[in-house]
Amino acid sequence: MKMTAPMEVGLTVSDLPRMRAFYEGALGLAFVSEIHVPSAKAQEAAMSMGGYTVIRLQTPYGERIKLLSPDDAPSVRTGTAHKILDRADSSYVTFIVNDIDGVVARLIAGGAEPMTGDKAVEVRPGTFLSFLRDPEGHIVEIVQYSDIERYRPDLAGTK
């Protein structure tokens, strides 16, 4: 596979303005666009029986988070498991940063619920992480590596 653009992740949300404010404010993502897709096209694309609105937000590296809000509230809601891997269909978004404590503090101040406490966990030497739930329950992972170039040698010199 040859990708032609950085990866994008879509999150279904209920309160689009609140979630946009959270991701822009707490993580500093930049607004790219807001588009409404009408019902007929939403159905054809297997997205929703009604229309939906998508807001695209971008990281400094070019990855994008798409916040998708259906015109009609989703009909199926699933519960959350206590631990991430206790639920077969769990997923999460990872942000690799150089100031994990500062980012986690901003996320909590923005309404995120810590899953791993308010301090980063060192899961192996030099690798620190925190898991949080955003204001609508999506799981966000914040990671800091003591040696990012060892983890991602393909990015050496791009800091």
Side-chain angles (χ1 to χ4, degrees):
M1 171 175 71
K2 181 177 179 183
M3 292 181 62
T4 59
M7 187 182 309
E8 298 184 2
V9 175
L11 302 174
T12 302
V13 302
S14 298
D15 186 338
L16 195 54
R18 177 182 184 206
M19 297 306 290
R20 175 182 172 183
F22 174 79
Y23 280 94
E24 286 179 336
L27 289 171
L29 301 186
F31 175 79
V32 175
S33 65
E34 180 173 337
I35 299 166
H36 184 266
V37 177
S39 177
K41 289 297 178 184
Q43 289 179 39
E44 186 178 350
M47 291 293 287
S48 176
M49 291 306 291
Y52 67 93
T53 299
V54 59
I55 288 181
R56 290 179 177 85
L57 304 173
Q58 186 165 309
T59 72
Y61 273 112
E63 303 93 350
R64 290 184 177 177
I65 299 279
K66 299 179 286 193
L67 303 176
L68 301 117
S69 181
D71 292 349
D72 301 316
S75 59
V76 177
R77 291 214 181 259
T78 55
T80 56
H82 181 65
K83 301 291 183 195
I84 297 166
L85 299 180
D86 288 348
R87 185 169 154 185
D89 61 349
S90 284
S91 60
Y92 57 88
V93 179
T94 301
F95 294 90
I96 300 171
V97 303
N98 66 358
D99 176 24
I100 193 167
D101 294 331
V103 172
V104 168
R106 283 193 304 280
L107 287 167
I108 293 169
E113 175 190 337
M115 298 174 70
T116 52
D118 57 359
K119 300 272 187 211
V121 175
E122 187 172 18
V123 292
R124 59 185 179 276
T127 302
F128 301 86
L129 66 77
S130 288
F131 279 103
L132 307 98
R133 289 191 187 278
D134 75 15
E136 290 196 4
H138 303 102
I139 300 171
V140 177
E141 178 188 32
I142 307 300
V143 178
Q144 182 172 336
Y145 294 95
S146 295
D147 185 356
I148 187 61
E149 290 181 357
R150 184 170 180 202
Y151 174 68
R152 290 288 307 262
D154 58 313
L155 299 178
T158 61
K159 294 182 199 174

